[in-house]
């Protein structure tokens, strides 16, 4: 997901859920039923909305996919092999890899096309910034990138975005290739008898094409090398650029599962009009090329909820459901929850009101604990 989104999460989601969570916050101050939609009411609503067995007899509540966002990024520096290994050990269903391409056309796992927010590139290669003072991975060979140390994400002022996360100062983490990530996950699956999937994202495909390299083709080649490119394989390929999603299907002939990521237009993530994407016409068009969508969590709720004092899914979500699109929103962070709402309440609202199919998360354990508790509740009710 985008760097801009990452920084906005603590601001925009905070502001949005300040409104969304007014009913929750009012509970402790109000003196009666006029307090609004309390956590207890959410729980009641969740119970009434909890889905029972489907036509096959299998409980719908069992179907909630947990995707390790940039690996176990809530505990170790994002997108490192160590973070991927921990995500595997934590038993996520999928592990995400954002992919950018080096000067020597090697796919590396890195959240941004820039380096300075998560590495010490400024001190190792101080003269290698472009005119915009940014350090681009595309300007470095893999051998050069191996010299960098990966650290916790920082903002433009070099302040840690998540201050409470991994803070050891002597550990050494490195940039790894997409092949190394796939090889690691594949080998762990083989040895441990598991089937944890991969969820790569083609980062900034238009930028890469302008640089003379086809990032999507390179990522697809990697998926094919590990037999992860089929419709039934345990993988998803995601992208924020709708033109590229269409190209992946039509020009590159990709047969695996594809997810259209949905941002906000002012993020400048791509030339895609995300407002149109969320329309009935847009969702129908997306469904021609993609199996699912990856929206930003605040986009999924009715932003007038604070006035009506109830939580409802945004109207556009019905277009996604009517087109049978899988919904995997981003991002659940245990250390950046909206004020006045707990993690389980947020997950309950996403699962039972919006009816999403899973979640990207920096923190796998609390989401898995929530899922197991909900499974137990359904089993008990049956």
């Amino acid at each position: 997901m985008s760097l801009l989104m990452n920084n906005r999460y603590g601001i925009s989601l905070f502001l949005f859920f300040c409104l969304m969570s007014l009913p929750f916050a009012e509970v402790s101050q109000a003196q009666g039923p006029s307090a609004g939609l309390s956590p207890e009411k959410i729980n009641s609503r969740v119970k009434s909305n909890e889905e029972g067995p489907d036509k096959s007899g299998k409980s719908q509540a069992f179907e909630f996919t947990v995707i390790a966002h940039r690996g176990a990024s809530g505990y170790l520096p994002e997108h490192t092999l160590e973070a991927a290994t921990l995500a595997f050990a934590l038993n996520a269903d999928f592990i995400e890899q954002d992919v950018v391409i080096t000067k020597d056309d090697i796919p590396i796992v890195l959240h941004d096309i820039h380096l300075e927010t998560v590495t010490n590139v400024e001190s190792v290669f101080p003269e290698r910034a472009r005119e915009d003072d940014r350090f681009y991975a595309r300007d470095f060979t893999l051998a050069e990138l191996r010299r960098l140390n990966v650290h916790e994400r920082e903002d433009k002022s070099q302040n840690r975005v998540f201050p409470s996360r991994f803070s050891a100062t002597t550990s050494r983490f490195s940039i790894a290739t997409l092949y190394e990530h796939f090889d690691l996950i594949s080998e762990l699956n083989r040895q441990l008898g598991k089937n944890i999937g991969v969820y790569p994202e083609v980062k900034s495909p238009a930028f890469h094409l302008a640089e003379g390299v086809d990032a999507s083709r390179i990522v697809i080649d990697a998926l094919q090398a590990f037999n992860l490119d089929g419709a039934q394989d345990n993988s998803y390929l995601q992208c924020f650029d709708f033109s590229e999603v269409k190209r992946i299907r039509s020009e590159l002939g990709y047969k695996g599962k594809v997810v259209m990521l949905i941002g906000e237009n002012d993020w400048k993530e791509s030339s895609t009009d995300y407002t149109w994407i969320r329309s009935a016409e847009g969702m129908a068009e997306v469904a021609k090329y993609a199996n699912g969508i990856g929206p930003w969590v605040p986009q999924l709720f009715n932003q007038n909820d604070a006035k009506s004092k109830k939580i409802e899914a945004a109207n556009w979500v019905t277009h996604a459901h009517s087109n049978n699109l899988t919904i995997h929103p981003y991002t659940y962070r245990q250390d950046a929850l909206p004020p006045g709402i707990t993690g389980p309440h947020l997950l309950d609202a996403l699962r039972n009101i919006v009816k999403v199919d899973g979640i990207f998360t920096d923190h796998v354990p609390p989401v898995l604990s929530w899922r197991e508790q909900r499974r137990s509740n359904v089993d008990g009710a049956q």
Side-chain angles (χ1 to χ4, degrees):
M1 311 307 170
S2 73
L3 168 62
L4 188 56
M5 178 281 297
N6 184 61
N7 289 336
R8 285 170 181 267
Y9 190 92
I11 300 172
S12 299
L13 188 57
F14 176 89
L15 293 174
F16 174 67
F17 270 103
C18 273
L19 297 176
M20 287 282 292
S21 63
L22 277 176
F24 299 108
E26 289 172 355
V27 171
S28 62
Q29 301 171 15
Q31 298 297 321
S34 62
L37 188 60
S38 67
E40 290 74 19
K41 291 182 180 179
I42 273 281
N43 287 335
S44 175
R45 211 170 151 178
V46 164
K47 182 175 290 187
S48 67
N49 283 311
E50 191 75 67
E51 298 180 40
D54 62 15
K55 293 179 181 179
S56 67
K58 184 178 181 181
S59 173
Q60 293 282 345
F62 281 68
E63 302 300 317
F64 191 87
T65 302
V66 180
I67 306 148
H69 184 239
R70 310 179 203 170
S73 58
Y75 310 99
L76 290 171
E78 65 185 49
H79 279 324
T80 57
L81 288 174
E82 291 85 352
T85 303
L86 180 56
F88 190 101
L90 293 173
N91 212 31
D93 298 313
F94 288 86
I95 302 173
E96 184 200 29
Q97 304 83 26
D98 295 318
V99 186
V100 302
I101 311 301
T102 68
K103 187 176 182 178
D104 41 356
D105 293 347
I106 296 172
I108 57 170
V109 179
L110 187 73
H111 177 61
D112 309 306
I113 58 175
H114 309 112
L115 293 160
E116 66 274 7
T117 54
V118 291
T119 75
N120 62 338
V121 66
E122 307 100 313
S123 60
V124 180
F125 298 104
E127 306 301 323
R128 298 282 290 276
R130 293 194 184 186
E131 291 183 0
D132 60 0
D133 293 326
R134 306 299 301 272
F135 294 81
Y136 289 75
R138 180 64 182 161
D139 295 336
F140 296 83
T141 65
L142 178 62
E144 289 174 325
L145 293 172
R146 297 286 202 198
R147 294 173 56 187
L148 305 181
N149 189 35
V150 177
H151 55 63
E152 282 288 337
R153 178 164 292 277
E154 296 175 345
D155 61 20
K156 292 180 179 179
S157 301
Q158 295 187 319
N159 297 313
R160 288 160 56 93
V161 174
F162 299 102
S164 65
R165 295 192 181 181
F166 190 83
S167 59
T169 57
T170 58
S171 301
R172 179 80 168 87
F173 299 95
S174 301
I175 289 174
T177 70
L178 181 61
Y179 283 82
E180 288 169 333
H181 275 261
F182 283 179
D183 203 22
L184 171 73
I185 295 166
S186 176
E187 182 63 10
L188 289 175
N189 275 331
R190 182 189 69 80
Q191 292 189 86
L192 298 172
K194 294 187 178 182
N195 190 28
I196 290 174
V198 300
Y199 213 123
E201 177 189 343
V202 180
K203 297 297 295 188
S204 305
F207 164 83
H208 282 101
L209 287 171
E211 293 281 317
V213 61
D214 188 342
S216 293
R217 178 72 268 172
I218 289 174
V219 174
I220 290 172
D221 285 347
L223 286 163
Q224 290 175 338
F226 286 86
N227 297 314
L228 290 167
D229 60 323
Q232 302 305 316
D233 291 322
N234 207 21
S235 67
Y236 286 89
L237 178 60
Q238 56 179 338
C239 187
F240 272 104
D241 189 326
F242 187 45
S243 294
E244 193 69 8
V245 166
K246 291 190 287 185
R247 179 174 171 270
I248 286 168
R249 282 292 193 218
S250 302
E251 182 180 328
L252 300 181
Y254 185 67
K255 303 299 183 184
K257 295 183 287 295
V258 175
V259 165
M260 174 67 213
L261 295 169
I262 303 176
E264 293 290 332
N265 289 343
D266 63 356
W267 296 355
K268 307 298 183 183
E269 190 69 42
S270 74
S271 61
T272 301
D273 181 353
Y274 297 113
T275 301
W276 175 80
I277 286 288
R278 296 195 297 272
S279 69
E281 179 186 7
M283 281 289 106
E285 193 68 13
V286 166
K288 294 178 182 179
Y289 303 94
N291 304 87
I293 57 171
W296 187 37
V297 166
Q299 295 170 334
L300 293 169
F301 295 97
N302 184 348
Q303 298 199 31
N304 294 320
D305 286 344
K307 296 179 181 179
S308 62
K309 295 195 175 182
K310 62 182 178 181
I311 294 180
E312 294 179 339
N315 293 334
W316 73 267
V317 177
T318 61
H319 307 317
H321 287 307
S322 65
N323 283 284
N324 296 314
L325 288 164
T326 297
I327 305 177
H328 290 162
Y330 59 93
T331 306
Y332 177 93
R333 294 183 169 103
Q334 188 70 18
D335 55 0
L337 289 170
I341 185 170
T342 67
H345 294 146
L346 175 57
L347 292 167
D348 283 341
L350 287 167
R351 178 65 183 87
N352 297 289
I353 297 175
V354 183
K355 298 189 183 302
V356 305
D357 300 284
I359 192 76
F360 284 87
T361 179
D362 291 5
H363 298 93
V364 169
V367 181
L368 288 180
S369 294
W370 167 85
R371 185 174 71 177
E372 289 306 309
Q373 182 60 52
R374 295 302 174 268
R375 286 177 174 178
S376 298
N377 290 347
V378 171
D379 288 345
Q382 293 176 357

